[in-house]
Amino acid sequence: MSKSPNQYSSSALPMTGYLEQISFNSARTGYLVEARAPRGVLYYTSDGGANWSAMQILPASSSLSTSLAYFQSATPFGAVALTNIGSLWNRLRPGSPWVDLYPPYWAEKLSRYKGTLAAVSRGGRALQILGGSRYRIVATKTPISTLLDFQLFHGAKIAMSKGALWTQLGSQAWQRVPLPKGDQALFADFATRSAGIVAAIPNRNSILFTVDGGRSWEQVPVPFMPLSPDALSTRDWWMIGSIVGPLVNNPYKKNVHVVTYYLYHTTNAGRSWTRYSSSLWSQNSPDGVKFLNSSVGYLWTSYQLFLTTDGGRNFVARSLPDWLNIPSGHGLAPGGNGKAWVADGSYPLLVTSNFGANFDVASSKS
């Protein structure tokens, strides 16, 4: 028996969140976008909507959100997808890879040298952001796809990979200097183009120190597990460190220890350390530390910013806005007069002019 115009067939949609978009190219082929679907997932039907299958079109493990907000399978430029944080992806033809077209960069780590910000982006790209502006950007292709750190100095660029230090003088080719055999860098920071410190594995009770651009390394013992370094000068270093305490009485997990986090400071290249603590962050695993000078400095977790103006003795806590987190140990670059720039793994850069009380989009006037 044929259906009357008022009779419809129904099928269950794979709804696990809010429906963003549903579109059909033909009577049988269609696509469905959900706001809370897994990252990079699109739903597809080839039988008019009776059945739906999940398609992984964008990366699922990206450090940035690739949750879809809009999809169009056929345009004059190929297939396009828009994510819920505003990035635009394109696939020129079936079978070709998806490429992110916009925004032009995703700043993940920052450093600052005489008014120019250096930022780590994806795929081994590094950026020079002149004057803190989102418009005046110079991209640099580094010889490594995964950067731990990228910094600018007079006439030189420094890049750090897990196994080596890379230096570029002017427009010359990048030069590679390996870490000591077997060491793999976890964190790094350089005070000059020649002097820097590296926390590496497997030696978690020491740090590596160089004053000649990595041609030689000194192993400096430390009374803590080094996590995030900040080299203010050749001998003046700040560092987050952890101390493993006694076992926790936990009926569900074995060998769980109390871990306490401290801020450490040395003015003699690690021969002695001053330790600072605060109940604000001692149990919260700070992600990074960055000092402007001997008095003003910042610590942060993903969701809180801590300010000191007396050299680490006291801290003021700033709750970050719900839409902002600082996921990297190099995610903040301080400036004078209460200014600091923040890279939260998205676009554009953010800036505060009042020590983190408020944040705005960085502009050409920043």
Side-chain angles (χ1 to χ4, degrees):
M1 183 176 72
S2 62
K3 295 179 181 179
S4 70
N6 294 324
Q7 290 179 307
Y8 301 92
S9 61
S10 64
S11 62
L13 297 177
M15 294 297 291
T16 58
Y18 299 108
L19 180 63
E20 288 276 12
Q21 176 200 4
I22 187 166
S23 62
F24 276 79
N25 294 343
S26 68
R28 301 186 62 83
T29 303
Y31 302 91
L32 183 150
V33 175
E34 287 186 13
R36 293 185 179 178
R39 283 186 177 183
V41 166
L42 176 75
Y43 294 96
Y44 167 79
T45 182
S46 59
D47 56 11
N51 296 282
W52 296 86
S53 300
M55 297 173 59
Q56 188 76 49
I57 65 170
L58 301 184
S61 59
S62 173
S63 61
L64 309 165
S65 175
T66 53
S67 300
L68 292 175
Y70 174 82
F71 174 79
Q72 182 60 256
S73 62
T75 75
F77 310 99
V80 295
L82 185 69
T83 74
N84 59 13
I85 61 170
S87 60
L88 180 65
W89 293 67
N90 171 242
R91 187 182 66 180
L92 287 175
R93 59 188 62 85
S96 63
W98 284 88
V99 178
D100 53 333
L101 300 181
Y102 181 87
Y105 71 89
W106 297 98
E108 297 175 344
K109 302 173 184 178
L110 293 176
S111 64
R112 185 170 179 266
Y113 180 75
K114 293 185 177 180
T116 299
L117 290 170
V120 172
S121 190
R122 288 183 290 175
R125 274 205 318 167
L127 307 168
Q128 299 173 57
I129 306 174
L130 307 178
S133 168
R134 57 175 171 162
Y135 301 112
R136 301 168 59 205
I137 299 170
V138 178
T140 298
K141 178 63 178 177
T142 67
I144 43 181
S145 60
T146 303
L147 286 171
L148 291 178
D149 189 23
F150 175 73
Q151 294 177 243
L152 299 172
F153 297 101
H154 181 67
K157 303 179 183 74
I158 294 287
M160 193 77 209
S161 69
K162 289 185 178 181
L165 172 68
W166 297 80
T167 304
Q168 186 182 48
L169 301 179
S171 59
Q172 298 177 18
W174 286 90
Q175 299 296 317
R176 179 183 184 272
V177 181
L179 291 178
K181 187 176 181 180
D183 283 353
Q184 293 288 309
L186 298 175
F187 309 95
D189 194 52
F190 278 74
T192 71
R193 73 185 197 186
S194 300
I197 49 179
V198 175
I201 54 175
N203 302 305
R204 297 298 280 128
N205 59 351
S206 65
I207 56 177
L208 298 173
F209 172 44
T210 182
V211 292
D212 56 12
R215 289 189 293 273
S216 64
W217 296 92
E218 177 186 351
Q219 197 168 76
V220 180
V222 291
F224 51 87
M225 181 181 291
L227 297 176
S228 182
D230 175 32
L232 269 183
S233 71
T234 302
R235 299 170 61 84
D236 190 342
W237 311 333
W238 295 86
M239 188 169 294
I240 295 171
S242 66
I243 300 293
V244 179
L247 286 168
V248 177
N249 184 14
N250 189 327
Y252 303 103
K253 295 181 180 179
K254 295 182 180 180
N255 301 322
V256 176
H257 291 260
V258 173
V259 179
T260 306
Y261 299 89
Y262 298 96
L263 175 64
Y264 291 88
H265 184 215
T266 179
T267 57
N268 54 18
R271 291 181 176 84
S272 63
W273 296 86
T274 301
R275 188 174 80 175
Y276 300 96
S277 181
S278 172
S279 59
L280 295 173
W281 44 261
S282 62
Q283 303 297 320
N284 295 332
S285 182
D287 293 318
V289 57
K290 188 62 67 174
F291 271 74
L292 176 66
N293 51 45
S294 60
S295 299
V296 178
Y298 300 84
L299 263 75
W300 59 89
T301 65
S302 293
Y303 302 101
Q304 275 192 301
L305 184 66
F306 306 97
L307 167 71
T308 179
T309 57
D310 57 8
R313 294 174 182 82
N314 297 281
F315 283 86
V316 175
R318 309 279 201 196
S319 294
L320 295 176
D322 293 340
W323 45 266
L324 172 63
N325 67 76
I326 310 175
S328 163
H330 284 285
L332 181 146
N337 300 318
K339 184 167 288 186
W341 291 265
V342 169
D344 70 342
S346 66
Y347 175 87
L349 287 180
L350 300 169
V351 65
T352 177
S353 297
N354 49 17
F355 298 102
N358 301 101
F359 288 90
D360 298 301
V361 173
S363 69
S364 57
K365 296 181 180 180
S366 296

